[in-house]
């Protein structure tokens, strides 16, 4: 398969530096001008404009000072969000309860819905019976989104939804979504640890299984 080079293969990051020394395959220099124009036009839409300014201010004013939880609250305040939705994994309800307590302590209204809400058996969604071995009830991210849409939350926060279930939640949420916790059952919800160790102890992901460090 032909390997198409892109930003993930770039070592110079000139788009960030502004030094104009772009690589031959640079995504910036190969952009369709209309694609760039379309993207910039989207930022003019009111919600997008507000979120863009808010995100930039959160980053600038609290760079390396605020935890993600603090950043979420600051972002929420800046976009005028008063009611926060939490779309949580049932296995992280305790953590979501703590998150909700922090949000409430800081003046937000909070409504949460867990992935198993609706109590729908997996088999009803056409999921193979064997998958019930790790739990009979289906994760129901579309329901989570619809419940939060009905609750008219201003900003939704994902806490540990499974891969793919998070995708469906993002797709159906009316409100903007940010993620507080990214599920990784093996790495304590810190998936980047697999990347930090991919060239050493976790080399099996790069086909280096068995090589000693
Ligand atoms: S846009 Fe160009 S310079 Fe920036 S990371 Fe991508 S390839 Fe590198």
């Amino acid at each position: 398969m032909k390997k198409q080079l892109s930003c993930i293969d770039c070592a110079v990051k000139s788009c960030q530096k502004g030094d104009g020394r772009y690589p031959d395959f640079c995504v910036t220099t190969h952009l369709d001008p209309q694609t760039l124009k379309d993207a910039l036009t989207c930022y003019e839409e009111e919600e997008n404009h507000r979120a863009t300014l808010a995100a930039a201010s959160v980053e600038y004013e609290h760079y390396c000072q605020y935890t993600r939880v603090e950043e979420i609250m600051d972002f929420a305040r800046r976009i005028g969000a008063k009611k926060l939705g939490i779309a949580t994994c049932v296995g992280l309800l305790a953590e979501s309860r703590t998150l909700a307590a922090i949000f409430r302590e800081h003046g937000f209204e909070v409504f949460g819905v867990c992935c198993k809400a609706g109590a729908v058996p997996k088999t009803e969604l056409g999921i193979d019976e064997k998958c019930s071995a790790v739990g009979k009830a289906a994760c129901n991210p579309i329901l989570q989104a619809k419940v939060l849409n009905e609750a008219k939350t201003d900003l939704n926060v994902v806490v540990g939804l499974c891969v793919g279930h998070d995708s469906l939640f993002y797709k159906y949420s009316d409100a903007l979504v940010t993620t507080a916790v990214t599920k990784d059952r093996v790495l304590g919800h810190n998936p980047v640890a697999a990347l930090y160790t991919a060239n050493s102890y976790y080399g099996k992901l790069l086909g280096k299984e068995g090589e000693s460090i």
Side-chain angles (χ1 to χ4, degrees), residues 6-7 10-16 21-23 25-29:
S6 60
C7 293
C10 178
V12 298
K13 299 188 280 188
S14 292
C15 54
Q16 183 188 36
R21 297 168 60 193
Y22 297 109
F25 58 82
C26 180
V27 170
T28 292
T29 56

Side-chain angles (χ1 to χ4, degrees), residues 47 76 79-85 109 148 151-156 174-177:
E47 181 182 57
I79 64 169
K82 294 184 169 48
K83 186 170 183 178
L84 304 184
E109 189 182 346
L148 294 181
K152 302 207 177 312
T153 50
D154 301 313
L155 174 70
N156 291 331
D174 284 346
L176 288 177
V177 183

Side-chain angles (χ1 to χ4, degrees), residues 34-102:
Q34 190 58 46
T35 305
L36 177 59
K37 191 166 175 235
D38 288 350
L40 294 179
T41 302
C42 287
Y43 289 104
E44 293 170 12
E45 195 271 314
E46 191 186 337
E47 181 182 57
N48 298 344
H49 184 66
R50 204 178 326 126
T52 301
L53 299 191
S57 297
V58 172
E59 181 193 26
Y60 168 69
E61 291 183 27
H62 308 293
Y63 200 77
C64 292
Q65 294 173 342
Y66 270 10
T67 62
R68 179 136 191 135
V69 170
E70 290 169 307
E71 286 188 343
I72 289 171
M73 291 191 292
D74 194 35
F75 176 72
R77 263 185 230 106
R78 289 174 190 271
I79 64 169
K82 294 184 169 48
K83 186 170 183 178
L84 304 184
I86 296 180
T88 180
C89 168
V90 74
L92 284 154
L93 267 176
E95 291 80 357
S96 287
R97 198 170 297 126
T98 302
L99 183 62
I102 294 170

Side-chain angles (χ1 to χ4, degrees), residues 194-210:
L195 312 182
Y196 290 149
T197 56
N199 286 307
S200 56
Y201 303 106
Y202 203 52
K204 67 179 181 181
L205 288 190
L206 288 173
K208 297 177 182 170
E209 198 152 19

Side-chain angles (χ1 to χ4, degrees), residues 160-161 163 166 179-198 202 205:
L161 296 186
V163 170
D166 56 358
T179 300
V181 179
T182 303
K183 173 179 276 172
D184 190 318
R185 295 183 181 89
V186 176
L187 297 173
H189 309 303
N190 181 33
V192 77
L195 312 182
Y196 290 149
T197 56
Y202 203 52
L205 288 190

